[in-house]
Every structure is written in C-alpha cells, then in structure tokens.
Amino acid sequence: MTMTRALRRRLHAVRGPLPDSGFTLSEMVVVIFILGLILTMAQGALIGTNKIVGGNVARNDQTQQARVAIESMSRSLRTAILPTQLNSSCTTCSSTAFIQGDSTYVTFYANLNNDYTVAPPPGLSDDGPSKVSYQVVSGTLTESIRRPDPHNANPSSYSYTCAAGSVGCTVRSRVLATKVVMNQPLFTYFAKDGITSIATPLEASTTRLSAVDSVDIFLTVRSAANTKGSSFTIRVQLPNVDSLSVSTTSPTP
C-alpha cells in the first residue's frame, strides 16, 4: 500500500491530477469568463446586424417616399395653367395660374384629367382646371386636388365652393410623404430668366403670382434619427402659366 501511494504521488507530480480528480475552481472561472466573452461578442454582432438591416429599411422607405412625392408634384406643376385658357367664365378664379405659394406650400390651377364629359340629366359637368395644393405641416406633405363644382355644360362656368363629400363634389387628398425635413425651402419660385427668385408669399401681390415661370422643388425625407436623409431636387418649367388667354364660350377639349 505504501508503494502504491508513493507511485500515485509520483504520477500526480509528473502528469497532474488523475482524471477522476475533477476541475478546480480556477479552471471553472476561466471557462465561464471565456464563454461570457464569446456571448458578448456574438450579441454585439447581432445588434450591429439589426441596426444595419433597420437602417437599410429606413433608407429604402424614405427614398421611395421622396421619389414618389417629387414625381407627383412635378407632374402636376407642369400642367399649371391660366384658368382663362380653359374657360372665360370662371366666377371665383384668380387671374393667374398660381393662387398662393411660399416655401412650404403652393396652390395653383392645373389641367389634370380634364375630359369634357357631360353627366346624365340635368346635364351637369365638372370640366375645367383642378385646384391643386401641396403643403407641409409638422413634417407631413399632403396633396389636395379639387375638381370644379358641377355646373351647366353650355354655357360653361365653374367655381370651387362645394363641400367635400357632397354629391358631385370631387376632392381628393392624400399623404405623399412623412418625416419631411425642412432644412431648406421645399418650393422656390423663379422668373422667366430662370435666375431671379420671386419673393414669397406669392399671394402678397398679383405681380408676384404672374411672374412665376418655373419652380424648384427640394425635398428631403428622413425616416429615422440614425439614418441620413434622402434628398431629391428638380426644376419644373411651366410653359402655360403666362400663355395668351383666349376668350371662349365653352371649354377647350
């Protein structure tokens, strides 16, 4: 027995503890520390990946919103027209294509969806230019398109006084973009030379309203605080805002 104990002590000194001796407390602490370090690194990588994915989703969303909004606004603005170009007997129209305008809003007459149609008896029609408005309020950009009130087809005259939701009154509103950042004017108005900017608000004088020949749109949408905003800009030329008015007794088809 004495020789066996001596042999075991010698093997322990040369090879370390025998397999059945278990782990020491120090070894367990080291293993737990290493596992905790690995889990921390994995969690950090997962959080970083989620941030990247979330940022990409936000950027795609804000880019899509900004692109659709600026395309819609520029398409409508290109159809801006003097109301007398379509009809000479508008009872409530101003004498210019633009009604009002500033850095965050604009309202104008537009020749949109102006098909000359006559409804069933009593034969009322909604021909004439639409009244279009764009406005940013608290970061939300909205579009409003109002068709003329139902009126007699011949002789034709139109106004924009009907209550939204009433029979025959067509008013369409929609949100074009949210989280709009106003770090510079959304709308800037220029005279015929394309260089001289027109003071706002446009409605301060008929001279300002009639001088508008092109509009710059600069739109920035930023969906999340940790993303860079998506910006689009375009200059919209307005070929019909100062065209020669032709007196007519019925709308031009």
Side-chain angles (χ1 to χ4, degrees):
M1 293 295 294
T2 302
M3 293 180 62
T4 301
R5 292 194 187 96
L7 181 60
R8 289 177 64 86
R9 284 197 297 270
R10 187 177 297 276
L11 289 173
H12 178 80
V14 174
R15 300 177 58 185
L18 294 178
D20 60 354
S21 61
F23 296 100
T24 65
L25 179 61
S26 298
E27 291 172 333
M28 292 294 294
V29 170
V30 171
V31 171
I32 293 173
F33 174 78
I34 294 174
L35 288 175
L37 184 62
I38 293 173
L39 290 175
T40 300
M41 294 174 63
Q43 185 180 24
L46 180 61
I47 292 174
T49 301
N50 288 337
K51 286 183 177 179
I52 292 174
V53 172
N56 289 337
V57 171
R59 280 190 291 272
N60 290 337
D61 174 69
Q62 67 190 25
T63 298
Q64 182 67 13
Q65 283 195 69
R67 179 182 292 112
V68 170
I70 204 165
E71 287 177 354
S72 179
M73 290 188 292
S74 61
R75 184 167 56 248
S76 297
L77 274 166
R78 288 191 182 95
T79 70
I81 192 169
L82 288 168
T84 51
Q85 284 295 100
L86 299 178
N87 192 292
S88 62
S89 58
C90 179
T91 57
T92 61
C93 295
S94 63
S95 59
T96 58
F98 283 82
I99 303 168
Q100 61 180 2
D102 207 334
S103 61
T104 61
Y105 64 85
V106 65
T107 304
F108 56 96
Y109 299 109
N111 192 18
L112 291 174
N113 302 321
N114 189 25
D115 299 328
Y116 182 62
T117 57
V118 179
L124 299 181
S125 175
D126 68 346
D127 64 277
S130 297
K131 182 183 286 188
V132 180
S133 298
Y134 295 104
Q135 185 176 21
V136 175
V137 177
S138 300
T140 299
L141 173 62
T142 57
E143 173 190 71
S144 175
I145 300 178
R146 173 184 282 268
R147 297 292 300 153
D149 300 346
H151 54 80
N152 293 326
N154 191 16
S156 180
S157 63
Y158 47 82
S159 59
Y160 303 86
T161 59
C162 66
S166 61
V167 177
C169 190
T170 305
V171 182
R172 187 189 72 190
S173 297
R174 61 172 177 162
V175 173
L176 292 182
T178 58
K179 305 296 181 65
V180 175
V181 179
M182 294 300 299
N183 49 15
Q184 70 178 69
L186 176 61
F187 302 108
T188 306
Y189 310 91
F190 291 91
K192 289 183 179 181
D193 60 9
I195 300 174
T196 305
S197 61
I198 302 171
T200 56
L202 298 179
E203 59 269 26
S205 71
T206 303
T207 302
R208 293 182 184 180
L209 291 168
S210 60
V212 179
D213 196 71
S214 60
V215 180
D216 276 8
I217 307 175
F218 186 89
L219 178 63
T220 300
V221 178
R222 187 179 181 186
S223 297
N226 61 341
T227 62
K228 184 179 180 180
S230 298
S231 299
F232 289 86
T233 184
I234 189 173
R235 171 160 291 193
V236 183
Q237 300 294 334
L238 310 172
N240 297 315
V241 293
D242 54 0
S243 300
L244 178 65
S245 299
V246 179
S247 179
T248 60
T249 57
S250 61
T252 303

